[in-house]
Amino acid sequence: METIQLSDEKHRYEFSEISCLHIKEIHHGLLPFLGPKLLGELYKALTKLKLISIWAVKSDGRIIGFLAGTHVSNKRALGFFFKKKSILALRLMIRLFSVPQSARMVVSLVKNSAKNVFFKNKTRSRPQAELLAIAVDKCFQGSGIGKALILCYEDFVEKSGLNEYVVMTNVNENGSNAFYKAMGFKEHCLTPHHDLVLRVYIKEIDKAKNA
């Protein structure tokens, strides 16, 4: 097995592999509705703009696990993406609104975002860095791949001058919740996310290393 960090120039085929693995293993959220081709284009564009970084684990020439994370605030990243990749952004919205279920999810997401603006949560603010997606092929789960990807991302977060990051997962997914708790994440709060409720976790890297 080898772990690589993807770049938009050297790993063009890998973005397609990652999008397929995402759709196969991550069943909630809007991204699976994009389909593998458009999702691959999105991952590649975000990587090229340096809004996210992606690490992947390969075995026998194919990707069996990946992690996507950022050290840029969501609001800043979203605005920059729409400015630099307006045509791709338009294609994404057309695809999402062409499917009734994903269209309802987008509307719900906008409503929840508006509520957060007008009714600010009084709990501790979230870190800037965020683990956006992590997936491991079912045949390789439990073999330490997820942990190895987490460590790659934490090294990246530290080198970015930050010492904590956030991740969100569906409250009903027992496997992912158990994984994050085992990796030292602390529960922060619950938050609505279109038709789901997500559990928000925060991990402080320095404390985890000194534990």
Side-chain angles (χ1 to χ4, degrees):
M1 292 185 190
E2 64 169 333
T3 302
I4 58 174
Q5 184 173 356
L6 270 61
S7 69
D8 65 302
E9 296 298 330
K10 295 181 180 179
H11 303 103
R12 295 181 180 181
Y13 178 71
E14 281 83 350
F15 286 102
S16 176
E17 281 193 89
I18 282 172
S19 65
C20 290
L21 183 58
H22 182 127
I23 293 170
K24 178 182 176 184
E25 300 296 344
I26 303 176
H27 306 122
H28 66 268
L30 287 166
L31 295 184
F33 287 97
L34 295 176
K37 184 177 184 298
L38 200 52
L39 180 54
E41 289 184 47
L42 175 61
Y43 271 134
K44 182 180 177 182
L46 292 173
T47 301
K48 185 174 183 178
L49 293 173
K50 300 188 184 304
L51 296 177
I52 67 170
S53 295
I54 300 177
W55 294 264
V57 174
K58 300 186 77 173
S59 177
D60 295 326
R62 72 182 184 94
I63 290 177
I64 58 174
F66 84 95
L67 180 151
T70 183
H71 67 293
V72 182
S73 68
N74 286 342
K75 290 181 180 178
R76 177 187 166 196
L78 189 62
F80 189 71
F81 172 73
F82 273 90
K83 180 180 180 181
K84 294 293 184 179
K85 296 290 182 179
S86 56
I87 295 177
L88 177 56
L90 179 61
R91 289 171 59 208
L92 296 175
M93 297 309 295
I94 291 174
R95 173 66 64 84
L96 292 175
F97 277 101
S98 69
V99 180
Q101 184 180 353
S102 58
R104 288 193 299 270
M105 291 166 69
V106 172
V107 172
S108 179
L109 189 61
V110 171
K111 288 181 178 178
N112 289 332
S113 297
K115 288 180 181 178
N116 289 334
V117 171
F118 291 104
F119 304 99
K120 292 184 178 180
N121 198 319
K122 295 182 179 180
T123 61
R124 172 189 170 192
S125 61
R126 298 177 191 171
Q128 176 176 309
E130 182 174 354
L131 193 167
L132 300 169
I134 183 170
V136 177
D137 189 294
K138 275 189 171 60
C139 296
F140 295 89
Q141 290 177 7
S143 60
I145 293 173
K147 181 178 180 180
L149 290 167
I150 289 284
L151 293 176
C152 288
Y153 177 61
E154 290 182 354
D155 183 59
F156 167 75
V157 171
E158 280 197 296
K159 288 178 179 177
S160 300
L162 306 170
N163 65 359
E164 62 178 1
Y165 63 102
V166 65
V167 66
M168 293 181 278
T169 191
N170 187 345
V171 294
N172 295 319
E173 290 193 354
N174 296 329
S176 60
N177 282 276
F179 171 75
Y180 292 127
K181 289 176 181 177
M183 288 296 297
F185 290 80
K186 303 300 180 184
E187 293 185 36
H188 176 55
C189 65
L190 299 178
T191 185
H193 186 66
H194 44 78
D195 59 344
L196 300 175
V197 175
L198 301 181
R199 179 168 282 118
V200 180
Y201 291 96
I202 291 177
K203 186 173 183 182
E204 299 183 34
I205 299 171
D206 289 340
K207 286 186 178 181
K209 287 185 176 180
N210 295 328

